[in-house]
Amino acid sequence: MTPIRRIVLVGFMGSGKSSVGRELARRLGWAWRDTDEEVERLEGMPVAEIFARRGEAHFREVEERVTAEMLEMEDVVVGTGGGWGAVPGRLTSLGDDTATVWLRVTPEGALERVRGEAGKRPLLDRPDALEAARALLAERESAYRLAGIAVDTEGGDAARVAEHVLTTLAGPPWNLNAEKV
Ligand code: S3P
């Protein structure tokens, strides 16, 4: 079995990728990388502004490049933007040393979590946000589902979700260094 050298978190906006990812990285002593943060750093502006000024297509191009670079790293937890893992073929093209984790959230739970975090999620910044979240999640679910493991995040705090991820990845068919778990 190939040892796992990186964990990639995918899932909808507000599924807790950043908080769970930070906790996983802390527990493993690995690096933490957030693709949205890196895109914002490179572009010099928040995600919402990139969408407004340069367009979503441009954001997606930079996101793809940034994520691909992060996936070259070892001993890293990568938190992807909600759109990245929704592109068909992405999750199935990763090697055996990469564990993909889908953090599941309901549209209601997602909106609850992103409330008050303006600037990062232009796709939900609209009066009918719940309808939009439902439609987008329904559209993306079949792609997220291809992740190696799926974890429900509703009602669980980041530490409990991280614990569950680590315990799962420590057992077969995964091969995360159990000493660290
Ligand atoms: C997006 C999710 C956001 C951010 C951008 C687009 C999406 O990241 O990349 O607003 O298409 O789902 P988070 O999933 O970290 O909120």
Side-chain angles (χ1 to χ4, degrees), residues 35-66:
T35 64
D36 284 329
E37 272 175 21
E38 181 60 9
V39 173
E40 290 184 330
R41 193 186 68 76
L42 289 173
E43 296 286 298
M45 62 183 90
V47 171
E49 217 174 308
I50 305 172
F51 269 62
R53 289 172 54 179
R54 300 186 175 159
E56 180 175 350
H58 174 76
F59 172 83
R60 298 297 175 198
E61 270 172 40
V62 183
E63 175 184 51
E64 182 177 9
R65 200 173 65 237
V66 157

Side-chain angles (χ1 to χ4, degrees), residues 11-15 17-18 34-36 47-48 51 56 59-60 63 79-84 114 117 119-124 136 140 144:
F12 204 61
M13 296 168 264
S15 57
K17 296 180 296 270
S18 301
D34 179 310
T35 64
D36 284 329
V47 171
F51 269 62
E56 180 175 350
F59 172 83
R60 298 297 175 198
E63 175 184 51
T80 61
W84 184 85
V114 305
E117 286 182 44
K120 205 185 146 193
R121 287 139 181 143
L123 297 177
L124 297 181
L136 201 53
R140 291 175 170 182
Y144 291 153

